[in-house]
Amino acid sequence: GHSPMAVVQKVRRKANQSKPPPTPKTLNPSSGHSPMAAVRVILPHPHLPIPSWRPQLKPSSSYPRRAVAAPASLSPSPLTASLQLGDVIEAQQFDRQVLNEIFEVAREMEAVERGSHGFRSRVLEGYLMATLFYEPSTRTRLSFEAAMRRLGGEVLTTENAREFSSAAKGETLEDTIRTVEGYSDIIVLRHFESGAARRAAATAEIPVINAGDGPGQHPTQALLDVYTIKREIGRLDGIKLGLVGDLANGRTVRSLAYLIAKYQNIKIYFVSPDVVKMKDDIKEYLTSQGVEWEESSDLLDVASRCDVIYQTRIQKERFGERIDHYEAARGKYIVDKKVLGVLPKHAVIMHPLPRLDEITVDVDSDPRAAYFRQAKNGLYIRMALLKLLLVGH
Amino acid sequence: GHSPMAVVQKVRRKANQSKPPPTPKTLNPSSGHSPMAAVRVILPHPHLPIPSWRPQLKPSSSYPRRAVAAPASLSPSPLTASLQLGDVIEAQQFDRQVLNEIFEVAREMEAVERGSHGFRSRVLEGYLMATLFYEPSTRTRLSFEAAMRRLGGEVLTTENAREFSSAAKGETLEDTIRTVEGYSDIIVLRHFESGAARRAAATAEIPVINAGDGPGQHPTQALLDVYTIKREIGRLDGIKLGLVGDLANGRTVRSLAYLIAKYQNIKIYFVSPDVVKMKDDIKEYLTSQGVEWEESSDLLDVASRCDVIYQTRIQKERFGERIDHYEAARGKYIVDKKVLGVLPKHAVIMHPLPRLDEITVDVDSDPRAAYFRQAKNGLYIRMALLKLLLVGH
Amino acid sequence: GHSPMAVVQKVRRKANQSKPPPTPKTLNPSSGHSPMAAVRVILPHPHLPIPSWRPQLKPSSSYPRRAVAAPASLSPSPLTASLQLGDVIEAQQFDRQVLNEIFEVAREMEAVERGSHGFRSRVLEGYLMATLFYEPSTRTRLSFEAAMRRLGGEVLTTENAREFSSAAKGETLEDTIRTVEGYSDIIVLRHFESGAARRAAATAEIPVINAGDGPGQHPTQALLDVYTIKREIGRLDGIKLGLVGDLANGRTVRSLAYLIAKYQNIKIYFVSPDVVKMKDDIKEYLTSQGVEWEESSDLLDVASRCDVIYQTRIQKERFGERIDHYEAARGKYIVDKKVLGVLPKHAVIMHPLPRLDEITVDVDSDPRAAYFRQAKNGLYIRMALLKLLLVGH
């Protein structure tokens, strides 16, 4: 564990490494407080002022190097804190304390966003975010770009970095990151390879946010899901959660299970066709965390007991030739008026979107249909992360 | 009919629905003047402040619902007004009064644009426009994005939403709109399906501008065409107009005919190869509106009588296999120095662009060649619409 | 030659042609000082204020036309100056004096960029840059867009203008430029055809920067290479430079040779596989400029004598079927620890990037590895050019 204050210091420290504050001091390379000072000894041309980009040239193959590079006075908290808010790489990196801090800031962001129409926030004025997307995900990209702009920041966009001429020519992700970090203050990376975000974060001196790396992680989705439960139900301990649909392949339900397990008295019901059941690794993890879970084939019964029904899309692409299996699976558990009929008044229905017909359209008008509010919460969570990573609490 | 003031109120009302002004009031959900108040009764969690995104969850399948959703005190004018400036969907939605208002604001925008170089306007500061393009149209997109930026607004761009991963996965346009409206203040939609813009507007709580929906409408093009005539000739009543080229398939000439018919003493000459003649529906409409029209095969004679020659491109893609028909058609009516020779001094040549060789390059240097000024007028018209839709007069 | 002051005046003049300053004067079309006044006589509608876009309609097929169009009082310096900073088209257009001016401003930009994090510069506030890319080059595009934003400017982006619907329909580059210049204050053009940038500049009334036109030029790359040498070594006269790798096809090494030849006591070593040797035109040019050069096949020997080793990528695409030739060529001259072992302490290794394995990764951590700083210098050079072209010194 560590104190929120420590987190803030980490945030500030990392921000400072690549971005001295815009005070006269920053133009004075010999300032003892400048992170530049720490690396001055390796500069070959003492007659030149310290170039701001020099730090990125020190070997940067692991997180610890960063702590080393930081002025000691600025890193009083354990290294893990740097992992926790120096970059956003995977859902597991967050503990309850950090989650609460993020959710508090997200809550503040609701008011900031409401107030921003016709009034430009200056919270992130002068900061530049690069959205480096190696595969298209317009929903996620627009959500991050809206978040940056609602806070007064600017954006550099690349929608298909896979055809990034350099990548096409065989440039490594690390080299691309070293170039792009020279143009921006924070990188939001979407990649088709699992682990790409971690590699990028290990290379970059500026914060990196994982916007999904292949079958790997999509931590901001997991955060907005948990935030939505807290926002809609009013608490996170003692939640009864029904996970419905494709539990075998759904990246989001797996991440959600990891995060919700950090809370007390959680009960999870798995409702899915046999071909796409939740895998044992998650079941074992939940058991090891003392989370009660059971499988059920009765959606109505589960809906009548839950605070949250989390529906997911059956992903056709996972079934290959067996269209018959797909058709059988997708029709099996539909959230419709019948489900609303048994769902408690205070409960809500969630879905990561896009949805096809696993939730019928006539459900949309029910106040308990929370999936579009959930999408909007993605904006608040991303605003909160950008603020925390760039300027701290 | 209705008063311009009413239009303004409509504009403000709709803007308010999704965007409370950034005054302390907006942070007070119980404010009687807040549109949020109107929907408070349906909120499931009274202990939570009113979320700004809740309204979009009420059934929104028709325009009237909006009038219903609006605080009565704010909607004194007929529903039609909401159609007229709550969204921009089709050329026919505008009456003379609204057209005049738009043109007045567009005229003001010329000065704003001239003054904006080196000085950032704050008219739309803090507003975010999403350009949701399901087919590429860089000219139209850049024109809208330049308009937003010249007024101090910000832009979220997606150039080919057709490959929008969500759309590709089968998400409905309505679901996409519900997500994107959570990230922005106004949506500019380009779509390949006729009627898509109307569907989007019926779903969205924020204003929607149709930037072309397939074979359907492209209302901002029609507006800039009529504005250009007024701007170049100095009036709209009593205009003699020659429509030349592909009159059968040209979306722009058809919309232009609809709009110009709203003015007095209009005379239209149709000059086109037989295979692409103006269709009867437009001819009948013009007759019903008391607009004089005739067909001619003598471009020089028509040019000598007109205030405006509106040339269009013969669209090869319409001829399929019959390249011979295409070649015959495209060469038939060319605007060249000979046409300039008979064209009145005060008259102008217009073209929606892009042009191939239906206007020879040596015409460009003549002051009566208005087509690049026409393109620039698209910027002023779009600035005017964005201002009217987001902050009113 | 000409004075830096003259250059500034050119810059201002050209900026003024299309952009009157935002003072009350600009709203007064009859102002004798307004560039509009110069063209007033050709306006057909004296009852209308002078439209700001009218000048672009005068025949604009050559540079000289511009000098003619400019109020005499504003063009005291020779035409060549207009070529030098009215547009950025080719490396050869710069003389030492202009290069020094650009480098001085680039040096100032380092401080501006360092200070811009969390503080938005207003130097280019209200200016709009259009990045018109007919082929993707994300690295170059992001570098220009970051440069514009770091100076407080705004950006209109099009990543693949080749599919620009208008271009696809057969619109000429000239027509596209005339439309886009109506929406922006400066155009950054990337094109697949040699000479495209010159054609665009001849058409546009606003500044055009060549961001690479096919096999032709990439002048901002050449400028950042020379700036990097000055920045890293501290001088440009008396430099010993080793050009390594693909010297036959590398656009960058050819441009670099042209520019460095403007300095005194330069010695160049060519180190390349026989199949991709430096061509005679450059060798003859260097000789004619009194630049000493020799070819060598001993990279270690060359490295031990040089201030700068400029490594380049062997471009597979140039070898067609002969993969065997490619493999032989690419493996021949690698910059690795052995090279570092003989390289003087003060020397640096440069590379235009992307790099494959022609520089081993273990070289990156050496302070003499300058290639990522070189990429960052591209940002400063582009900031300097945008500032000089839009607002002058």
Side-chain angles (χ1 to χ4, degrees), chain A residues 38-101:
Chain A
V39 297
R40 194 167 192 192
V41 293
I42 67 163
L43 293 181
H45 314 307
H47 63 284
L48 297 180
I50 311 303
S52 64
W53 24 252
R54 181 57 64 105
Q56 78 194 37
L57 294 171
K58 292 179 284 75
S60 54
S61 53
S62 68
Y63 288 118
R65 193 240 337 114
R66 276 188 194 147
V68 172
S73 66
L74 284 172
S75 49
S77 62
L79 172 63
T80 57
S82 164
L83 283 170
Q84 276 161 321
L85 275 189
D87 303 291
V88 174
I89 304 305
E90 59 181 19
Q92 295 92 309
Q93 82 185 67
F94 304 107
D95 62 22
R96 279 186 69 141
Q97 197 167 18
V98 175
L99 288 172
N100 287 338
E101 182 182 23

Side-chain angles (χ1 to χ4, degrees), chain C residues 189-258:
Chain C
L189 177 72
R190 174 84 164 205
H191 204 279
F192 48 88
E193 278 175 24
S194 186
R198 182 173 291 281
R199 284 167 53 207
T203 300
E205 286 298 325
I206 63 175
V208 171
I209 299 179
N210 182 1
D213 52 352
Q217 286 271 346
H218 193 356
T220 60
Q221 176 70 47
L223 288 170
L224 75 89
D225 287 341
V226 176
Y227 177 68
T228 299
I229 295 173
K230 181 173 187 178
R231 191 71 180 73
E232 296 283 336
I233 307 302
R235 69 177 195 281
L236 283 164
D237 291 317
I239 290 291
K240 287 192 176 51
L241 178 62
L243 300 180
V244 187
D246 182 345
L247 306 184
N249 307 303
R251 185 169 54 183
T252 58
V253 285
R254 291 173 54 84
S255 300
L256 176 53
Y258 274 118

Side-chain angles (χ1 to χ4, degrees), chain C residues 124-308:
Chain C
L124 295 186
E125 183 174 64
Y127 286 102
L128 202 41
M129 174 183 89
T131 49
L132 192 56
F133 275 44
Y134 282 79
E135 62 180 14
S137 175
T138 305
R139 177 192 306 275
T140 301
R141 183 175 61 81
L142 291 186
S143 174
F144 271 107
E145 295 183 3
M148 192 66 182
R149 292 223 169 79
R150 289 298 190 198
L151 288 169
E154 302 292 326
V155 174
L156 295 177
T157 298
T158 170
E159 260 194 286
N160 58 7
R162 193 169 197 164
E163 297 164 33
F164 196 118
S165 49
S166 305
K169 290 171 186 165
E171 182 176 62
T172 63
L173 175 63
E174 284 76 4
D175 279 10
T176 301
I177 292 292
R178 283 194 183 90
T179 303
V180 173
E181 77 175 335
Y183 303 152
S184 57
D185 301 312
I186 186 165
I187 293 172
V188 176
L189 177 72
R190 174 84 164 205
H191 204 279
F192 48 88
E193 278 175 24
S194 186
R198 182 173 291 281
R199 284 167 53 207
T203 300
E205 286 298 325
I206 63 175
V208 171
I209 299 179
N210 182 1
D213 52 352
Q217 286 271 346
H218 193 356
T220 60
Q221 176 70 47
L223 288 170
L224 75 89
D225 287 341
V226 176
Y227 177 68
T228 299
I229 295 173
K230 181 173 187 178
R231 191 71 180 73
E232 296 283 336
I233 307 302
R235 69 177 195 281
L236 283 164
D237 291 317
I239 290 291
K240 287 192 176 51
L241 178 62
L243 300 180
V244 187
D246 182 345
L247 306 184
N249 307 303
R251 185 169 54 183
T252 58
V253 285
R254 291 173 54 84
S255 300
L256 176 53
Y258 274 118
L259 270 188
I260 201 71
K262 296 178 185 293
Y263 295 88
Q264 306 302 314
N265 309 317
I266 301 299
K267 174 71 183 272
I268 302 183
Y269 299 89
F270 299 123
V271 183
S272 66
D274 291 347
V275 286
V276 288
K277 287 176 93 152
M278 178 57 79
K279 289 175 177 161
D280 290 339
D281 62 334
I282 297 287
K283 293 176 180 171
E284 285 153 17
Y285 175 80
L286 291 174
T287 303
S288 73
Q289 300 297 306
V291 175
E292 249 188 79
W293 60 266
E294 68 184 61
E295 296 184 313
S296 165
S297 60
D298 184 344
L299 176 56
L300 285 176
D301 175 64
V302 168
S304 69
R305 305 158 176 272
C306 281
D307 304 295
V308 176

Side-chain angles (χ1 to χ4, degrees), chain B residues 19-252:
Chain B
K19 336 235 136 304
T23 67
K25 269 205 233 65
T26 67
L27 304 185
N28 167 14
S30 64
S31 156
H33 294 294
S34 161
M36 298 306 116
V39 297
R40 195 167 193 193
V41 294
I42 68 163
L43 294 181
H45 315 307
H47 64 284
L48 298 180
I50 311 303
S52 65
W53 25 253
R54 182 58 63 108
Q56 79 194 37
L57 293 171
K58 292 181 285 70
S60 56
S61 53
S62 68
Y63 287 119
R65 192 235 346 109
R66 276 189 192 147
V68 172
S73 65
L74 284 174
S75 48
S77 63
L79 171 63
T80 57
S82 165
L83 283 169
Q84 276 161 321
L85 275 191
D87 304 291
V88 174
I89 304 304
E90 59 182 19
Q92 295 91 310
Q93 81 184 69
F94 304 107
D95 62 21
R96 281 186 69 141
Q97 197 167 21
V98 174
L99 289 172
N100 286 338
E101 183 181 22
I102 294 169
F103 295 161
E104 273 166 34
V105 178
R107 195 73 178 73
E108 294 160 17
M109 293 300 115
E110 293 188 24
V112 172
E113 193 266 347
R114 257 198 307 282
S116 70
H117 315 294
F119 169 81
R120 190 163 199 226
S121 164
R122 299 187 171 288
V123 174
L124 295 185
E125 183 174 64
Y127 286 103
L128 202 42
M129 174 183 88
T131 49
L132 193 57
F133 274 45
Y134 282 78
E135 63 180 12
S137 175
T138 306
R139 178 194 304 276
T140 302
R141 183 175 60 82
L142 292 186
S143 173
F144 271 107
E145 295 183 3
M148 192 65 181
R149 293 224 168 80
R150 289 298 190 197
L151 288 168
E154 301 293 325
V155 175
L156 295 177
T157 298
T158 170
E159 260 193 287
N160 58 6
R162 194 169 198 163
E163 297 164 33
F164 195 117
S165 50
S166 304
K169 290 171 186 164
E171 181 175 62
T172 62
L173 175 63
E174 284 76 5
D175 279 10
T176 301
I177 291 293
R178 284 196 182 89
T179 302
V180 173
E181 77 175 336
Y183 304 152
S184 57
D185 301 312
I186 186 166
I187 293 173
V188 175
L189 177 72
R190 173 86 166 204
H191 203 280
F192 47 89
E193 278 174 24
S194 185
R198 183 174 290 282
R199 285 167 52 207
T203 301
E205 286 298 325
I206 63 174
V208 171
I209 298 179
N210 181 2
D213 53 352
Q217 285 272 345
H218 193 355
T220 59
Q221 176 70 47
L223 288 171
L224 76 90
D225 287 342
V226 176
Y227 178 68
T228 299
I229 295 173
K230 180 173 187 178
R231 191 72 179 73
E232 295 283 335
I233 307 301
R235 69 177 195 281
L236 283 165
D237 291 316
I239 290 291
K240 288 192 176 53
L241 178 61
L243 301 179
V244 186
D246 182 346
L247 306 184
N249 308 302
R251 184 170 55 181
T252 58

Side-chain angles (χ1 to χ4, degrees), chain A residues 278-295:
Chain A
M278 179 57 80
K279 290 175 177 161
D280 291 339
D281 62 334
I282 296 287
K283 293 174 179 171
E284 286 153 15
Y285 176 79
L286 292 173
T287 303
S288 74
Q289 301 297 305
V291 175
E292 250 189 77
W293 60 267
E294 68 183 60
E295 295 184 314

